[in-house]
Amino acid sequence: AVNRDDLEVKFKRDWCKGCGICVAFCPKQCLALDEKDKIYMAKPDDCIKCGQCEQRCPDFAIFLGGKN
């Protein structure tokens, strides 16, 4: 089993088209779009690493990965 504490939400901002789907589906409202309509983690301490953002992103611009 994967320990969610070993994961973090990662972004490929150049792939993000600013559709806002991940923002809409985040159950903790952690995500937001910046002034360039690119995704960023607005409230990292609230993130539960549920993976909804990764599942919903049509452009694979956001994913759960291992911490580096």
Side-chain angles (χ1 to χ4, degrees):
V2 174
N3 182 349
R4 295 205 182 273
D5 291 337
D6 294 334
L7 298 174
E8 65 183 352
V9 176
K10 298 185 176 192
F11 307 104
K12 293 187 177 188
R13 286 174 48 90
D14 53 327
W15 292 11
C16 177
K17 66 183 177 199
C19 69
I21 292 173
C22 60
V23 175
F25 278 95
C26 179
K28 297 292 185 178
Q29 291 86 47
C30 298
L31 303 171
L33 297 177
D34 66 15
E35 65 281 351
K36 295 179 181 175
D37 281 338
K38 298 291 185 178
I39 191 64
Y40 75 99
M41 181 65 73
K43 296 191 266 180
D45 292 341
D46 292 345
C47 180
I48 58 172
K49 302 171 188 139
C50 65
Q52 286 293 313
C53 53
E54 179 179 31
Q55 290 176 356
R56 307 285 181 176
C57 181
D59 298 302
F60 309 102
I62 185 169
F63 60 98
L64 286 172
K67 290 181 180 177
N68 291 341

